[in-house]
Amino acid sequence: MTQIAPIVLVTGINGFLGSHTVEALLSHGYRVRGTHQHSHDPQCLLRNRPSWNGKVEMIHIPDHRVPNAYDEVIQGVDYVIHVAAEVHSNGETPGIDPHHTLAVSIKGTENALNAALKEPKVKRFVYISSDAALKGPKNYNGDGYVFTEKDWNPLSLQDAEASNDEGLNYTVCKKLGEQTVHKFQTIHKPHFQVIALNPPLILGPVFHLESVKHLSFSAWFFWQLINGRYENAPKTEFYNYVDVRDLAKAEVLSLTADTKEPRVIICAGDLDNDKIVNAIITRFPQFQEKIAKPNGLPSTCDYQIDASLSKSALGLQYRPHEETFYDTAESLYRLSGFVE
């Protein structure tokens, strides 16, 4: 008798991570039901991934903040991967009001959790958080500090209210959004386990778009280094990264891993802008006039991130940074029309 594959609900399949999540699930034999925000998203996704046709059920949820938004789509689902979140593209900021950003994040997450509570088949709920929930916009713990899953960003909503700093507001919202998930589990003691994954900057190939006009922030950041904007690479401000495909693999592993860990850091290693441009100029010498020259500045990172739990608890292995950088650049050059 043929065993029917489990169904995984993926919220936000129209995004950078969501699209790779679907790819990873399909490659591991899962059935996928995905939600998307815009009615035209399925057409774009299927043009870029025709193999999804007939394999991925796509459901339009224009506003996941609406009460009971996920109640129907979660029926019969075995696992949930909650990726959907408010994002901004091409370096644009989503606004400096932390209350708005927080409300969007928390309402959607609470709706997904409450829906899962009503579906007895759900076994695990994987929530995508951020390393911003661990450390905030900077290291408040002293030079050389090693961040682990036990750490929490020390900033509060009051700190965000008193600041016009977009980065600070973002980190506070990520922290409070994730704490909503853990608080839900403590209060409701659901029949399913909740696991939060905490990645840093997410890089990797882009296939969910048809141009470079609406890149996610991480892809936009990378694109600026190789598209002719800079003569010299700017000072590094993002010190860690993960490949989107490795993060998607971590999501899949989290569904069935023999672990009770409530949160797991997903991080491939350190990052600096010179490391990126040196790798890209080697692989794409034809674009040397577009690729920023190394700045030669030493790293100012004063902390480390311990991602060993992702290997021991989930069995995750990370690909080399060169592969991540090469594939990211190739996909962006293709989207821009620079290569076929």
Side-chain angles (χ1 to χ4, degrees), residues 30-255:
Y30 288 97
R31 292 182 290 163
V32 178
R33 182 179 299 166
T35 68
H36 57 91
Q37 185 175 12
H38 304 292
S39 58
H40 62 269
D41 289 332
Q43 289 74 33
C44 179
L45 288 168
L46 290 175
R47 278 195 296 270
N48 295 326
R49 282 295 185 272
S51 60
W52 289 16
N53 207 349
K55 296 181 180 179
V56 181
E57 184 182 1
M58 302 186 189
I59 299 174
H60 181 212
I61 296 182
D63 188 349
H64 64 183
R65 296 171 298 175
V66 175
N68 306 314
Y70 293 106
D71 284 10
E72 290 188 18
V73 301
I74 208 167
Q75 293 178 13
V77 162
D78 298 280
Y79 302 100
V80 179
I81 302 179
H82 188 50
V83 181
E86 184 176 48
V87 297
H88 55 289
S89 60
N90 290 353
E92 299 170 355
T93 57
I96 60 174
D97 179 8
H99 290 279
H100 170 74
T101 305
L102 190 59
V104 171
S105 173
I106 289 180
K107 286 296 183 183
T109 301
E110 287 179 339
N111 283 337
L113 286 165
N114 283 318
L117 201 59
K118 300 171 187 175
E119 175 47 66
K121 288 189 66 180
V122 175
K123 301 173 185 65
R124 279 194 179 166
F125 187 106
V126 179
Y127 175 78
I128 306 305
S129 181
S130 167
D131 71 342
L134 303 170
K135 59 183 179 59
K138 64 179 182 179
N139 175 16
Y140 293 93
N141 296 287
D143 188 30
Y145 189 79
V146 179
F147 287 93
T148 71
E149 286 80 4
K150 295 180 181 179
D151 288 296
W152 284 98
N153 175 354
L155 300 178
S156 67
L157 183 58
Q158 288 70 35
D159 293 318
E161 290 172 333
S163 171
N164 286 329
D165 186 325
E166 192 66 42
L168 186 152
N169 291 349
Y170 170 82
T171 67
V172 170
C173 290
K174 281 297 182 181
K175 166 192 173 180
L176 297 178
E178 184 188 339
Q179 287 183 336
T180 297
V181 175
H182 298 303
K183 183 178 179 181
F184 182 94
Q185 187 167 37
T186 299
I187 293 174
H188 295 279
K189 295 180 173 53
H191 57 277
F192 54 87
Q193 182 185 351
V194 174
I195 299 178
L197 303 183
N198 299 78
L201 190 75
I202 306 171
L203 301 175
V206 178
F207 71 80
H208 68 295
L209 299 173
E210 295 182 310
S211 77
V212 293
K213 292 181 179 179
H214 300 290
L215 297 173
S216 65
F217 176 80
S218 58
W220 176 85
F221 146 79
F222 191 100
W223 180 231
Q224 304 314 297
L225 294 175
I226 65 170
N227 73 355
R229 175 177 180 178
Y230 298 113
E231 180 177 353
N232 297 301
K235 181 182 70 174
T236 298
E237 295 183 353
F238 304 103
Y239 300 115
N240 301 94
Y241 82 100
V242 68
D243 191 296
V244 66
R245 295 164 293 186
D246 292 337
L247 177 54
K249 179 68 176 295
E251 294 172 324
V252 176
L253 293 171
S254 297
L255 301 180

Side-chain angles (χ1 to χ4, degrees), residues 20 27 75-76 109 120 202 217 260 277 292 309 331:
H20 279 278
S27 70
Q75 293 178 13
T109 301
I202 306 171
F217 176 80
K260 297 296 183 182
V277 298
L309 189 60
S331 72

Side-chain angles (χ1 to χ4, degrees), residues 285-335:
Q286 68 271 37
F287 298 129
Q288 60 180 330
E289 297 302 319
K290 295 183 179 295
I291 301 167
K293 297 178 178 62
N295 58 44
L297 299 173
S299 174
T300 58
C301 183
D302 62 354
Y303 65 85
Q304 298 179 51
I305 291 181
D306 181 1
S308 59
L309 189 60
S310 66
K311 300 175 183 179
S312 61
L314 303 182
L316 184 64
Q317 295 182 334
Y318 296 95
R319 67 194 68 214
H321 70 271
E322 294 91 347
E323 182 180 347
T324 299
F325 298 165
Y326 296 160
D327 293 350
T328 304
E330 184 177 29
S331 72
L332 294 174
Y333 282 139
R334 184 178 295 110
L335 279 175

